[in-house]
Amino acid sequence: MNIIIDGKEYGFEPGQKVYDVAEENGIDIPTLCFNELNPDERPAGCRMCVVEIIDDGNNEPNLESSCTLPASDGLEISTKNKVVYDERREVLELLLSEHEQDCRNCGISGDCHFADLSLEYDIDGVSVCSECPNRKDGCFLSRDVLCLGAITHAGCDAFCTRNGDPCEGCFSVLSNEDVLVFGLEAYDENGFSRKEVLESAKVFSYEDVEVLKRLMEENDLLKEEVSE
Amino acid sequence: MKDVDVEVEHVTRVEGHGNIIVDAKKGELEEVLWEVSEAPRYFEAFVKEKPYDQLAQITSRICGICSIGHALTSLKATEDAMGIEISKQDKMLRKLALHGENMQSHVLHIGYLALPDLVGKDSIVPMTSSHPEELKTVIGIHSLANEMSRIMCGRTTHPRRLIPGGFSKLPSPLELEDLMHKLESSVTDLKEIASFVKGLSSELPDFERETEFISLTHDDEYPFYEGKIISSDGGKTPVEDYLSVTNEYVVPQSTAKYTKNNRESYMVGALARLNNNYDKLSPLAKEVAEDFGLSPVCHNPYMNTIAQLVEVVHNVEDSIRIINELLDRGIDEQGSTHKPEIEPKTGRGIGAVEVPRGILFHDYTYDEDGRCTDANCIIPTNQNHGNIQHDMEDLVPEIIGERTEDEIELTLEMLVRAYDPCISCSTHYVDVDFVE
């Protein structure tokens, strides 16, 4: 009994799910709703593990979550194609829109599977804070040091903050305005001025300064100058 | 008598875009031209109105290879303008950072860009099968140098920890000790590389043209971080009078400015430093220089690559000495995010540092808020363009009769490469077209 994954045949045990066959053979399928901590719980709720069933005469092309799809002889599926990618991306975007954005205070920032996937699926709206291990009191903002991480694109694995320096924003300002406002609130709470945040952001994101300015004004965030 | 027409656009295995043009009719040389076709960069305009603590971060982006050098030159100019003193420890750490960068850049040039010419290959790629072991040794040293930059500056490229007044974060004593051991064990590898290059040194063209060498010089040390400007024609100049040495001018064939001092052109870089400061080299570095018959004053520009090799040995030896001294006196700890108290003030400051390709100047003027009102940067490669042109004018007539177009082209390309020009920030291979 064989199943075809991405054009290659693999044997399987009766009752196995497609996800497990793929995992056994080192084929990466992302999941969010179950993980190594509770591998047996499969709510099939996140739909990140979708794969495409290829039309083989018996099955119509269809997207199925691989964690619940039983392996069957002759079944052909694809784990990596544009349809699958787009579906997963949409799933992630929806999840992200509901997701708590407070990466700065989150217990898993710096090692966040969700953030990693968002980067892999090129979703805008993930800040350097999600990759930064300096949480709460360890955060530069809590220590009165201006760090641009809260409004800067992730993707560098927070190299500077991991190595003891604040983020200088070299991956440029995020374009997701909701997340930007959230980041700006962090500067506001920690008493930074508009002037210093804008000046710092200007170095690598000159064109985004107007957006930041507008968001500060619309949301009445950050003071013009900080009185010493 | 033959016609020769060489047009190399662009020279490969150098940083950026430069072209060589040779045109001879019936053995009569009509034109030799070293053209720089790179677009201007405008960094001096970018930094205007920027606050003093951002300048080093911005100007370090001028280059991806000598970003530490740019950052340090920039910081020295800012610190000079505002009268900021740094501690002895910070100065030692900055010297280490500079050693790391110099090693990294020189090994890149010697191993990846110049060596293929000496072993008769087009690039480093075929060397993976023809000289795998030698290449591994080169890569090992290059990676150690990158590691050193990371330990000192937080990042291999574009330093993060170098700030006005010192360092935002210091390397730990453990990191330094580990680095020292790695440097110590790299000495054997360096000797291997030196003897490998020695075996190939007959491939270096035997060409001499008397020129002026300009570098920093220092009473107590081989100068990288500080010193006065010295000319091999005699005379020292304080750094603040650098404009009297550089005398920039513009030529039609180049988007880069040229410079001249006592003669029609001068040379900066490893060979200039070595010629002007030979006595200050570390013992093993001197040994390597002697081994290659390299002693002051050497007027063969092709020997610049060998001078770089000598300097790498010096960098390693001197770094070991500095780390030893640091560990002996004990490192003064500072907070995990240190920011020195600085009161911005108005004034003009000039920084000069010997970076891999030669002497680098940054010159800033600040207003009372510590914002830059005026900036001038003079890059080593700019100072070498004139000398490359004059070398070519002398070299081509010497070789034009006896060599084929291909050989002339290679000899000239090797000349340009010997200067290790950093025309901007890109390296790529382009095939050469001859104009029939």
Side-chain angles (χ1 to χ4, degrees):
Chain A
M1 291 203 297
N2 283 325
I3 141 169
I4 306 163
I5 305 177
D6 299 331
K8 275 175 93 174
E9 289 194 18
Y10 299 94
F12 65 91
E13 300 292 323
Q16 263 192 311
K17 305 287 191 243
V18 168
Y19 176 86
D20 300 300
V21 183
E23 195 190 25
E24 267 175 26
N25 291 287
I27 299 162
D28 182 47
I29 296 178
T31 61
L32 280 168
C33 68
F34 73 96
N35 54 41
E36 60 269 25
L37 296 176
N38 52 342
D40 302 323
E41 291 282 326
R42 293 199 180 179
C46 73
R47 286 192 60 83
M48 269 309 283
C49 69
V50 288
V51 294
E52 189 183 31
I53 298 174
I54 311 283
D55 182 11
D56 63 355
N58 302 317
N59 295 296
E60 288 291 309
N62 192 16
L63 288 165
E64 284 282 352
S65 45
S66 60
C67 67
T68 53
L69 176 69
S72 61
D73 193 31
L75 177 70
E76 181 175 1
I77 62 123
S78 170
T79 71
K80 293 176 189 64
N81 63 28
K82 184 149 189 330
V83 180
V84 172
Y85 180 88
D86 288 348
E87 175 73 10
R88 289 184 189 161
R89 193 168 187 278
E90 204 169 319
V91 166
L92 260 178
E93 270 183 328
L94 289 169
L95 287 171
L96 195 66
S97 70
E98 292 282 300
H99 187 71
E100 176 68 62
Q101 291 164 329
D102 194 8
C103 298
R104 275 182 65 229
N105 293 311
C106 173
I108 62 163
S109 66
D111 187 23
C112 171
H113 189 44
F114 197 20
D116 292 346
L117 282 173
S118 304
L119 282 170
E120 192 180 331
Y121 287 84
D122 198 22
I123 290 168
D124 182 47
V126 187
S127 72
V128 171
C129 294
S130 70
E131 301 183 310
C132 173
N134 309 336
R135 301 154 203 147
K136 298 184 178 169
D137 294 345
C139 172
F140 280 104
L141 302 187
S142 321
R143 292 185 276 158
D144 283 336
V145 179
L146 179 56
C147 171
L148 289 181
I151 52 170
T152 301
H153 266 292
C156 57
D157 200 24
F159 187 91
C160 291
T161 61
R162 272 179 201 276
N163 283 287
D165 302 301
C167 170
E168 54 174 350
C170 74
F171 269 42
S172 88
V173 165
L174 285 160
S175 35
N176 183 320
E177 295 194 358
D178 293 342
V179 184
L180 274 184
V181 170
F182 198 82
L184 292 175
E185 281 168 1
Y187 297 116
D188 186 56
E189 282 162 23
N190 287 282
F192 291 95
S193 73
R194 282 186 189 184
K195 197 175 152 195
E196 57 189 331
V197 171
L198 291 175
E199 193 126 73
S200 207
K202 206 171 173 180
V203 176
F204 285 99
S205 306
Y206 190 86
E207 289 178 355
D208 300 318
V209 164
E210 289 306 313
V211 177
L212 288 176
K213 240 188 229 171
R214 174 172 57 76
L215 291 176
M216 287 172 181
E217 277 159 21
E218 280 174 9
N219 297 281
D220 194 25
L221 289 169
L222 293 104
K223 295 195 183 71
E224 208 55 64
E225 292 266 359
V226 173
S227 48
E228 290 295 323
Chain B
M1 297 296 268
K2 63 179 177 182
D3 291 352
V4 176
D5 200 341
V6 177
E7 281 196 34
V8 184
E9 184 190 340
H10 309 99
V11 177
T12 57
R13 277 184 277 131
V14 297
E15 277 291 309
H17 301 67
N19 311 326
I20 300 170
I21 290 169
V22 176
D23 189 6
K25 295 275 180 304
K26 299 191 171 58
E28 282 294 307
L29 185 61
E30 297 197 336
E31 191 179 37
V32 186
L33 220 51
W34 166 237
E35 286 183 344
V36 177
S37 50
E38 193 76 44
R41 305 280 302 279
Y42 304 116
F43 268 84
E44 287 132 323
F46 294 165
V47 296
K48 273 196 189 167
E49 293 175 26
K50 291 280 190 294
Y52 73 95
D53 55 356
Q54 281 183 4
L55 260 65
Q57 283 297 323
I58 296 172
T59 53
S60 85
R61 262 74 181 183
I62 290 173
C63 187
I65 298 182
C66 46
S67 52
I68 295 177
H70 274 289
L72 286 178
T73 317
S74 173
L75 290 174
K76 280 182 72 181
T78 300
E79 286 161 359
D80 182 35
M82 303 196 178
I84 303 165
E85 294 284 337
I86 66 162
S87 69
K88 188 176 178 207
Q89 174 174 301
D90 285 342
K91 195 185 268 187
M92 290 167 80
L93 291 166
R94 283 185 178 183
K95 284 178 181 174
L96 276 180
L98 211 48
H99 277 325
E101 172 177 88
N102 202 62
M103 277 169 71
Q104 173 268 118
S105 170
H106 281 0
V107 172
L108 184 150
H109 176 247
I110 301 163
Y112 306 161
L113 307 181
L115 259 187
D117 286 330
L118 302 184
V119 297
K121 304 282 181 201
D122 281 341
S123 78
I124 192 176
V125 180
M127 287 180 66
T128 52
S129 47
S130 66
H131 299 81
E133 290 311 313
E134 291 86 346
L135 211 52
K136 272 184 207 160
T137 317
V138 168
I139 292 170
I141 299 274
H142 191 226
S143 127
L144 171 61
N146 274 328
E147 170 76 4
M148 185 163 166
S149 304
R150 195 193 61 73
I151 292 172
M152 302 314 302
C153 305
R155 197 153 61 183
T156 54
T157 314
H158 300 138
R160 202 61 195 89
R161 296 183 182 165
L162 308 174
I163 56 169
F167 279 78
S168 64
K169 191 183 175 194
L170 300 178
S172 72
L174 217 66
E175 279 177 312
L176 286 175
E177 205 178 327
D178 182 53
L179 175 64
M180 186 175 72
H181 294 314
K182 285 180 179 160
L183 287 167
E184 280 167 349
S185 51
S186 75
V187 172
T188 329
D189 291 342
L190 278 176
K191 284 181 179 164
E192 268 173 39
I193 295 175
S195 87
F196 175 54
V197 176
K198 180 78 186 30
L200 299 164
S201 57
S202 59
E203 301 294 325
L204 289 170
D206 184 18
F207 163 74
E208 289 196 342
R209 183 181 72 88
E210 224 185 280
T211 190
E212 180 181 6
F213 294 99
I214 286 181
S215 73
L216 286 180
T217 192
H218 193 280
D219 289 341
D220 308 320
E221 61 187 30
Y222 193 85
F224 281 106
Y225 184 71
E226 57 193 339
K228 280 186 172 167
I229 306 167
I230 190 171
S231 157
S232 59
D233 285 349
K236 292 182 189 173
T237 313
V239 166
E240 52 266 32
D241 297 331
Y242 76 103
L243 287 173
S244 72
V245 175
T246 52
N247 306 301
E248 283 187 305
Y249 63 101
V250 186
V251 292
Q253 75 266 30
S254 166
T255 50
K257 288 179 187 169
Y258 283 37
T259 57
K260 61 180 171 187
N261 185 30
N262 286 322
R263 310 180 185 217
E264 54 197 0
S265 68
Y266 65 84
M267 181 172 181
V268 298
L271 187 61
R273 282 193 290 265
L274 184 139
N275 276 334
N276 290 337
N277 303 281
Y278 185 83
D279 294 340
K280 300 286 187 305
L281 280 171
S282 69
L284 189 59
K286 251 185 213 163
E287 241 174 72
V288 174
E290 278 164 21
D291 208 26
F292 279 90
L294 177 58
S295 60
V297 179
C298 170
H299 283 288
N300 180 353
Y302 290 94
M303 289 300 275
N304 192 47
T305 309
I306 306 302
Q308 290 184 335
L309 183 60
V310 173
E311 281 196 347
V312 173
V313 178
H314 175 87
N315 293 143
V316 170
E317 273 195 301
D318 199 49
S319 300
I320 296 172
R321 182 191 65 76
I322 295 175
I323 298 177
N324 256 321
E325 200 183 320
L326 275 169
L327 294 176
D328 276 353
R329 60 202 292 270
I331 299 210
D332 291 335
E333 298 288 339
Q334 60 181 36
S336 60
T337 46
H338 179 66
K339 200 171 179 192
E341 289 283 324
I342 289 168
E343 198 57 54
K345 60 180 180 199
T346 178
R348 179 180 174 206
I350 294 149
V353 169
E354 281 287 348
V355 297
R357 284 152 197 81
I359 191 165
L360 168 66
F361 302 100
H362 282 215
D363 171 358
Y364 305 142
T365 308
Y366 286 106
D367 66 13
E368 61 271 21
D369 298 328
R371 282 173 186 275
C372 180
T373 55
D374 200 17
N376 186 25
C377 303
I378 299 186
I379 315 290
T381 296
N382 286 44
Q383 301 170 63
N384 275 333
H385 285 317
N387 218 52
I388 296 177
Q389 171 70 32
H390 288 293
D391 275 354
M392 283 186 179
E393 286 169 11
D394 267 30
L395 176 60
V396 173
E398 277 184 27
I399 57 175
I400 200 160
E402 60 200 54
R403 301 196 193 178
T404 65
E405 272 188 2
D406 278 353
E407 289 166 347
I408 294 171
E409 184 190 313
L410 177 66
T411 312
L412 292 179
E413 284 193 14
M414 279 172 73
L415 175 73
V416 173
R417 272 180 220 127
Y419 281 83
D420 188 10
C422 183
I423 302 169
S424 74
C425 290
S426 63
T427 319
H428 53 212
Y429 187 87
V430 181
D431 285 328
V432 174
D433 291 324
F434 281 99
V435 179
E436 292 300 327

